[in-house]
Amino acid sequence: MEDVVNCHLCGRQLLSYLSDVVDPQTRQSFAIKHCPCCRHGRTSPVPASMAPYYGPQYHGGRHGLTNAYCVRRRIGIVTKAAGRGNGRRLLDVGCGDGSFLLRARQVGWKAFGTELNPRLARAVGLDVYTSLAQATARGPFDCITAWHVLEHFVDPGEELRRMAGLLAPNGVLCLAVPNAESRQARQFSRHWLHLDVPRHLHHFSQSSLERHLGQAGLQAQRWWHGELEYDLLGWSQSLLNRHLAEPNVFFELVTGRRSSMPRIAKFAHLSVGVLTTAFALLPTIWDKIWRQAGTLVVAANLPDTRRQK
């Protein structure tokens, strides 16, 4: 493993922020370091190989009961930011099982994707590649989406530059990340569900995400604060993590990731989780109103000077 010392955005020395952040899968401990200048967070140390930290569910079926709602919401964001498909090209980076791409194709987009393990998406007839470099031949793209994948990259700035290079002159990039400066992130600290170390190598604030976009030659055009299902679980599961010995059980149950637990234990966790999630609705709405939600969504495009080249 490699320790992280300096900020990759400004070169400043990173400061200790959180320690003993436990990966619920491996029970290994990691730290979160923070840049006082950029307000960007880094997971430390960085594993030499990330493969042991990803199970099959990370390449498909990640949204469980909320999948249909999540897909509709994301299509709505794309429509607002980039317009309707009408035969134009869309690339979904980290497309998982392809649910979003299938819906995008239904509403008129020529849909393509990237995914480290493309088996599930290819099985439903989608054109999916294992890297952005492989997808280059199908560009340029009128819309590129990256739903909760930027935080997984070792170098998100480099990946954003690659995405920018694949955009058509009037293309739009839509992406979502957890908000490391949200109220729920501050409230729950190391117990916050969306830290998800070490899979989340980077922890974005709105300012650090905007700086990443700028360094990639992109301009943020519109922000959305909050994604209902992510924010509700950010409150409810994080509260449960603070008080229960085993983390993320409710989250894993509603997303279909756990099967070996006895039925009575499943029922208990689901009951408490549903009740806690109901109470989480009020702070979720409050955070959205005051722009302190647990997730950030942004639409960005190329500046006019780059479009003309």
Side-chain angles (χ1 to χ4, degrees):
M1 293 194 180
E2 180 182 356
D3 192 21
V4 176
V5 178
N6 296 321
C7 176
H8 68 294
L9 279 171
C10 67
R12 294 277 292 272
Q13 184 175 358
L14 296 171
L15 304 178
S16 295
Y17 177 58
L18 294 176
S19 60
D20 298 322
V21 183
V22 177
D23 171 21
Q25 294 185 26
T26 64
R27 299 305 175 96
Q28 295 177 359
S29 292
F30 295 84
I32 306 294
K33 295 186 176 182
H34 184 259
C35 177
C37 176
C38 301
R39 292 157 54 192
H40 186 71
R42 298 287 307 276
T43 295
S44 183
V46 177
S49 171
M50 294 300 299
Y53 300 95
Y54 286 92
Q57 291 290 346
Y58 259 92
H59 303 287
R62 284 174 283 189
H63 300 284
L65 299 175
T66 65
N67 187 63
Y69 168 77
C70 181
V71 167
R72 288 196 304 271
R73 175 175 51 75
R74 289 174 174 176
I75 288 294
I77 290 171
V78 166
T79 302
K80 291 175 182 176
R84 299 188 179 278
N86 297 329
R88 296 185 298 155
R89 293 173 178 261
L90 180 145
L91 176 70
D92 187 27
V93 180
C95 67
D97 61 6
S99 299
F100 171 75
L101 283 178
L102 287 174
R103 181 60 179 159
R105 192 165 66 180
Q106 289 173 0
V107 298
W109 289 95
K110 291 182 179 179
F112 307 89
T114 70
E115 179 59 56
L116 289 176
N117 186 344
R119 178 180 58 84
L120 292 174
R122 287 176 176 173
V124 294
L126 292 166
D127 290 320
V128 178
Y129 306 91
T130 56
S131 68
L132 283 170
Q134 290 185 0
T136 300
R138 308 309 295 262
F141 298 96
D142 301 286
C143 183
I144 297 176
T145 56
W147 309 115
H148 291 275
V149 296
L150 197 63
E151 60 268 27
H152 294 262
F153 288 122
V154 174
D155 187 346
E158 177 61 27
E159 299 301 326
L160 281 172
R161 285 188 287 274
R162 290 174 179 166
M163 294 180 209
L166 290 174
L167 281 175
N170 292 307
V172 176
L173 169 66
C174 296
L175 63 87
V177 296
N179 180 7
E181 290 191 342
S182 63
R183 192 160 67 99
Q184 59 182 243
R186 298 193 305 270
Q187 177 73 28
F188 294 111
S189 187
R190 64 175 57 84
H191 301 292
W192 188 40
L193 169 68
H194 297 308
L195 286 178
D196 199 23
V197 296
R199 288 159 295 278
H200 290 186
L201 296 169
H202 295 265
H203 307 273
F204 295 90
S205 65
Q206 182 169 335
S207 62
S208 76
L209 179 55
E210 192 156 22
R211 187 161 181 169
H212 274 94
L213 291 169
Q215 289 188 358
L218 294 160
Q219 288 182 338
Q221 299 298 322
R222 182 171 179 178
W223 294 90
W224 290 264
H225 295 266
E227 298 171 281
L228 180 61
E229 71 279 22
Y230 281 88
D231 286 62
L232 281 172
L233 282 170
W235 276 107
S236 61
Q237 183 60 77
S238 300
L239 180 62
L240 295 174
N241 286 349
R242 175 181 284 176
H243 295 287
L244 299 179
E246 191 170 1
N248 290 4
V249 175
F250 174 62
F251 171 74
E252 291 172 350
L253 287 171
V254 298
T255 55
R257 300 187 188 188
R258 185 179 292 262
S259 60
S260 60
M261 182 177 289
R263 288 187 178 181
I264 187 65
K266 288 182 181 181
F267 179 78
H269 278 281
L270 281 171
S271 300
V272 174
V274 168
L275 182 62
T276 308
T277 302
F279 281 106
L281 186 58
L282 185 59
T284 296
I285 294 172
W286 177 268
D287 289 347
K288 184 174 181 62
I289 293 172
W290 293 100
R291 298 187 175 186
Q292 297 183 25
T295 50
L296 291 166
V297 183
V298 63
N301 59 16
L302 300 169
D304 291 340
T305 53
R306 287 194 60 182
R307 293 185 203 178
Q308 295 169 2
K309 292 182 180 180

